[in-house]
Amino acid sequence: MKQLNDFMWSSLGRKGLKKEAEGAYLCFLATEWGQGRFKAVSFSQGILKLSVCSSPAAQEVQMETEKLSDYLNSKIGRKAVRGVRIVNYK
């Protein structure tokens, strides 16, 4: 029997919404992984954009971007995240 996850991704692919759904899913996973230290704002063309509240927080997150990328790529099953961009919000 086909799993719901497989059905969902193939259905979204037929509707042309797979990239948008995958980006939203990656943002959700990244925000959860950050445990409140940052919020994932967007994902486009392999670049994940993270929003942090201060420069020290940005430096801390910058040191962990490789771990985050590896985690997200393992969840998706391919190398979707090529880079991480960090922005400060006020």
Side-chain angles (χ1 to χ4, degrees):
M1 180 168 16
K2 201 171 191 182
Q3 290 185 352
L4 180 59
N5 189 31
D6 296 334
F7 174 75
M8 180 189 72
W9 288 115
S10 65
S11 178
L12 287 170
R14 285 192 304 273
K15 301 285 185 189
L17 300 171
K18 186 174 180 180
K19 285 185 180 182
E20 290 81 2
E22 186 176 79
Y25 182 57
L26 285 169
C27 287
F28 170 76
L29 289 174
T31 300
E32 268 194 343
W33 187 86
Q35 299 176 345
R37 294 178 295 156
F38 59 82
K39 181 178 179 186
V41 178
S42 67
F43 178 76
S44 178
Q45 299 177 356
I47 306 298
L48 179 67
K49 187 187 287 187
L50 305 176
S51 177
V52 296
C53 61
S54 66
S55 293
Q59 290 175 344
E60 181 181 323
V61 171
Q62 181 66 41
M63 291 188 298
E64 296 182 343
T65 57
E66 190 173 331
K67 288 181 190 176
L68 175 60
S69 295
D70 291 342
Y71 171 76
L72 295 174
N73 288 333
S74 71
K75 285 291 191 178
I76 290 292
R78 63 182 180 85
K79 188 164 173 60
V81 180
R82 293 181 295 118
V84 177
R85 183 171 173 223
I86 301 171
V87 296
N88 287 346
Y89 75 87
K90 301 218 180 216

